[in-house]
Amino acid sequence: MLLAVDCGNTNTVFAIWDGEQFLASWRTSTEWQRTADQYYVWLSTLMKLQKLDVQITDMIISSTVPRVVFNLRVLADRYFSTRPLVVGKPDCLLPVDVRVDAGTQVGPDRLVNTVAGHDLYGGDLIMVDFGTATTFDVVDTDGAYIGGVISPGVNLSLEALHQAAAALPHVDISKPKTVIGTNTVACMQSGVFWGYIGLVREICARIKAERARDMRVISTGGLAPLFQQSEALFDAFQDDLTIHGLTVIHKYNKDNT
């Protein structure tokens, strides 16, 4: 069994893959101080609650938080007796090319999303991930990662607005009933929601114009469903995109080593 771990800046997802389907997945907050023992106690407890009697033989990790990787490696070695694949490390092969400026380090989550997008939808894609940052990743015709765009995440923008302006409260993102707000909360929600609608539409339009071709736009991330249902911005939504990409990368490495 494969344990796939997607460690983002805010949350970490653990998923068990049996080669054909995911048997279970769990989400926890990302904390670099968490030890391998704590991970195992948490994970084994959840497996028992779901009556999953499986043996983990392989592990693959994608992490945007480098300090977390050490304890995840210890978890793999101490409790599963395996050496994990870590996306972005030289020994982890990718089934797609990465065509960016020399010396540029691309976030592992963006590489994994590229692999997943190409596997599910083919080439000529714009992958929009609504995470801590809102990222746009461009996938070439042959599946290569050729760059993208990084903008502040939706919740990050709201939090920055709240912290920088003493009179503005903390609010949750939602689609406002009208564009013109008649109270402070509604004004903030409208600004962020319609602002991001405009941001996504404009950036995707400019990418398509720069590439001089039609491209499909795929969304993922926690807030993607909110924007997916509100405007015709995306051609598809994929909830488990990064985790799916990890299974594809793992299989590619197994087949080529």
Side-chain angles (χ1 to χ4, degrees), residues 121-154:
Y121 302 103
D124 290 325
L125 304 175
I126 303 171
M127 318 290 296
V128 185
D129 189 346
F130 291 91
T132 303
T134 299
T135 59
F136 300 74
D137 298 314
V138 183
V139 183
D140 207 349
T141 305
D142 62 354
Y145 175 84
I146 57 173
V149 177
I150 301 175
S151 61
V154 178

Side-chain angles (χ1 to χ4, degrees), residues 13 34 138 180 217 233:
V13 176
R34 189 169 293 165
V138 183
I180 301 173
V217 183
L233 293 174

Side-chain angles (χ1 to χ4, degrees), residues 154 173-175 193 197 222-231:
V154 178
I173 181 65
S174 64
K175 182 182 179 181
F193 180 84
I197 291 289
L223 289 175
L226 172 65
F227 295 98
Q228 176 79 19
Q229 296 171 9
S230 302
E231 292 286 312

Side-chain angles (χ1 to χ4, degrees), residues 134-248:
T134 299
T135 59
F136 300 74
D137 298 314
V138 183
V139 183
D140 207 349
T141 305
D142 62 354
Y145 175 84
I146 57 173
V149 177
I150 301 175
S151 61
V154 178
N155 287 321
L156 191 62
S157 295
L158 278 170
E159 188 63 27
L161 195 60
H162 165 61
Q163 291 183 0
L168 296 181
H170 174 80
V171 300
D172 294 323
I173 181 65
S174 64
K175 182 182 179 181
K177 294 180 179 180
T178 60
V179 176
I180 301 173
T182 54
N183 58 68
T184 302
V185 170
C187 289
M188 293 173 67
Q189 289 177 331
S190 182
V192 172
F193 180 84
W194 293 112
Y196 271 86
I197 291 289
L199 179 144
V200 171
R201 181 181 286 118
E202 181 69 12
I203 288 179
C204 288
R206 287 183 175 272
I207 290 173
K208 291 177 183 179
E210 194 169 286
R211 297 282 293 156
R213 67 188 69 186
D214 188 35
M215 304 180 74
R216 282 181 291 180
V217 183
I218 314 300
S219 68
T220 190
L223 289 175
L226 172 65
F227 295 98
Q228 176 79 19
Q229 296 171 9
S230 302
E231 292 286 312
L233 293 174
F234 309 107
D235 297 296
F237 163 68
Q238 192 69 36
D239 184 38
D240 57 352
L241 189 70
T242 308
I243 288 293
H244 175 77
L246 286 173
T247 68
V248 175

